[in-house]
Amino acid sequence: RLVAAGRAVVKDETYIVLFRGVGGATQLPTAPLRTALIAAGYKNVATYINSGNAVLRSDKPRKVLLEEIADICRQQFGFGKDIHAVTRAEWAKLIAANPFPDAAAGKHLHAAVLAGDPPAGAVEALRAIAVEGEAIAVVGNVAYLHTPHGFGPSKFATKFDKAIGVANTARNWNTVLKLMELA
């Protein structure tokens, strides 16, 4: 933060914005979303695939940014699900902290940004239903899920969302790396 004339000024920050639950019946069209974010004053706006990912620059605090983007999404697209914003630096840490570096390629590794700490026992309960080779690790506010037999057929992955007990949104490792490249 910078201070100018006695008030805090937030410097421009690159954010990776993750919209939860996009796909299937819930759509958030990328081109109109990009246009709406640019019209709202966000800079260097990019979207990535039609599954709820945007990258942008802003000098607004994260809380304000999230409130404004949520309003845009509700009013213009009827989208009312959770939205997470992660700074470029936080995203770089998410990548560096990957506890499964040998699984980093492809769609068999997912990173789930968590809105808070999972309740006691949640991670252990997920581990209990994992089959051989599957694993979960929580590092900071990110849960890493390794599903070597595929995410879709994994009982462990299917139960993750409710069993983790905290709001979250997950991306496969290919998307994680692409969003970093865009940021």
Side-chain angles (χ1 to χ4, degrees), residues 139-154:
V139 180
N141 69 331
V142 180
Y144 298 86
L145 290 86
H146 180 226
T147 56
H149 314 297
F151 193 81
S154 171

Side-chain angles (χ1 to χ4, degrees), residues 125-179:
L126 281 162
R127 284 188 182 122
I129 59 171
V131 299
E132 186 176 338
E134 293 181 329
I136 181 173
V138 176
V139 180
N141 69 331
V142 180
Y144 298 86
L145 290 86
H146 180 226
T147 56
H149 314 297
F151 193 81
S154 171
K155 181 177 165 185
F156 159 72
T158 304
K159 295 194 179 262
F160 169 79
D161 191 47
K162 288 187 181 179
I164 198 66
V166 63
N168 70 86
T169 188
R171 300 296 183 274
N172 72 48
W173 205 251
N174 288 339
T175 299
V176 166
L177 297 177
K178 183 62 177 182
L179 290 170

Side-chain angles (χ1 to χ4, degrees), residues 65-75 79-81 83:
L65 174 130
L66 284 168
E67 289 169 357
E68 287 182 1
I69 293 174
D71 285 344
I72 290 167
C73 288
R74 262 192 310 279
Q75 292 174 13
F79 181 86
K81 295 186 179 185
I83 301 170

Side-chain angles (χ1 to χ4, degrees), residues 10 21 28 35 40 43 52 64 76 85 95 102 126 149 154 174:
V10 178
L28 189 57
T35 301
K43 299 172 262 185
V64 172
Q76 295 187 31
I95 292 169
D102 295 336
L126 281 162
H149 314 297
S154 171
N174 288 339

